[in-house]
Amino acid sequence: MAEAKLIDGKALAVRLRERVAKGVAALKAHGGPTPGLATVLVGDDAASQVYVRSKGRMAAELGMASFDHRLPDETGEAELLALISRLNGDPAVHGILVQLPLPRHIDAAHVLRAVDPAKDVDGFHPFNVGRLGSIASGAPLDFPVPCTPLGVSMLLQETLGPLAGRHAVVVGRSTLVGRPVAQLLLHLDCTVTIAHSRTRDLPRLCRQAEVLVVAIGKPEFVRGDWIRPGATVIDVGINRIAGPDGKNRLVGDVAFAEASAVAGQITPVPGGVGPMTVACLMRNTLSAAGGTA
Ligand code: NDP
């Protein structure tokens, strides 16, 4: 069987970023504000520092303002909430991103609830979660939608065109990825099945999927013989494992080589969903400032 076509998330992310940069320029040209993204990082987690830096840099590259807030690990919840409150009231800030995970002594749910829903560019505020859960099929997504799920839905539409009627199986039901992916696909008129750790006979269920989205955080868990021939596979997983040479490498939740011998289209890891996540954050920040990409 022919190898699956690669779904190039990097290339689509470049095109989305170009559209965002144009949207930012158009907003400013029409007397609108410079979209501003505030990033908030508590503690010195190395991976989080890299993510936050790349988000701030990308915002600046696209013509936005970026405001970087770094707080020490021992910062108390009250102090963090006071910063969020200041950012909520700052007219130069249109998007607030609180980098997760937060230190254990801070209640993340409490902090995410404190962000103004209009500035919640990660789409994690319960108000926006509820809007996504109750949106009518096909209605405009005129509120912040979580970035990774939005990226997944864009990759699928770019690859397959209209998704109406397709059977999508989403493996994983986390509030950050699996659930919002399922809700977006429902909004796009897919027939959606959500699987999780208690699902019986997962391989058989996966074989029914025309569209298979996997977000479980288990390296190469989904095997080639779980894939329906010709299916479109979106691998959200990012797992660091030791390669045969002892060096760390990134793999997804799907056994890529096996799956690409059966699937019609598949995202690579890295270079699939990952690049879309940050580009969607930029798109959400532009939208929060009143622009469109
Ligand atoms: P979580 O750990 O929050 O959720 C994992 C989900 O997978 C749960 O719903 C769990 O089920 C389900 N699951 C676990 N084991 C199995 C199994 N054996 N069979 C079926 N379902 C199973 O992870 P996230 O959703 O936050 O992340 C998932 C992956 O996506 C990770 O690899 C993460 O790194 C990656 N990710 C990638 C991003 C990107 O930009 N590309 C962004 C965010 C995440 P249950 O609910 O029953 O426990």
Side-chain angles (χ1 to χ4, degrees):
M1 182 139 191
E3 285 279 296
K5 184 173 158 286
L6 277 190
I7 301 174
D8 189 345
K10 259 193 209 160
L12 184 59
V14 167
R15 293 204 293 279
L16 177 56
R17 290 203 303 263
E18 284 167 1
R19 292 210 313 269
V20 172
K22 278 192 189 140
V24 170
L27 186 66
K28 291 189 205 169
H30 290 91
T34 297
L37 173 66
T39 55
V40 179
L41 173 62
V42 185
D44 47 16
D45 179 70
S48 293
Q49 285 180 2
V50 172
Y51 293 144
V52 163
R53 215 177 7 250
S54 75
K55 287 164 186 173
R57 199 172 43 223
M58 191 176 295
E61 275 169 23
L62 302 184
M64 303 190 196
S66 98
F67 309 97
D68 187 14
H69 295 271
R70 300 199 179 201
L71 305 174
D73 197 52
E74 61 275 12
T75 303
E77 190 172 306
E79 198 185 326
L80 178 56
L81 290 174
L83 171 62
I84 303 281
S85 166
R86 274 206 312 283
L87 297 173
N88 282 343
D90 184 342
V93 171
H94 302 91
I96 301 170
L97 178 134
V98 181
Q99 185 65 45
L100 300 176
L102 288 168
R104 277 162 179 265
H105 64 273
I106 295 178
D107 180 346
H110 201 182
V111 172
L112 296 179
R113 271 202 304 275
V115 174
D116 178 344
K119 298 189 177 188
D120 168 40
V121 280
D122 256 337
F124 293 159
H125 190 286
F127 184 71
N128 291 321
V129 172
R131 288 172 92 176
L132 183 59
S134 57
I135 190 171
S137 129
L141 291 168
D142 53 1
F143 54 89
V145 173
C147 302
T148 300
L150 184 60
V152 168
S153 72
M154 286 180 175
L155 284 172
L156 281 170
Q157 290 177 92
E158 176 78 11
T159 307
L160 295 172
L163 300 176
R166 303 223 184 219
H167 183 202
V169 173
V170 180
V171 189
R173 58 173 165 181
S174 72
T175 51
L176 302 191
V177 188
R179 274 171 214 237
V181 165
Q183 281 158 341
L184 279 172
L185 296 183
L186 203 53
H187 172 252
L188 294 168
D189 292 325
C190 287
T191 301
V192 183
T193 307
I194 305 174
H196 47 78
S197 67
R198 309 295 292 271
T199 296
R200 267 190 253 129
D201 202 351
L202 186 61
R204 186 165 150 263
L205 182 66
C206 290
R207 277 193 288 272
Q208 294 170 18
E210 297 174 78
V211 170
L212 181 64
V213 182
V214 188
I216 58 178
K218 293 210 151 78
E220 302 179 324
F221 187 78
V222 171
R223 312 307 308 188
D225 62 357
W226 300 21
I227 312 285
R228 170 174 163 155
T232 301
V233 178
I234 306 286
D235 188 353
V236 184
I238 302 178
N239 308 286
R240 206 170 285 279
I241 61 165
D245 54 359
K247 284 191 190 146
N248 277 346
R249 63 190 181 102
L250 289 185
V251 297
D253 291 342
V254 177
F256 180 81
E258 290 177 17
S260 51
V262 189
Q265 292 86 212
I266 188 166
T267 52
V269 177
V273 176
M276 288 300 291
T277 298
V278 191
C280 287
L281 174 69
M282 300 301 132
R283 176 242 180 231
N284 282 354
T285 305
L286 171 61
S287 301
T292 46

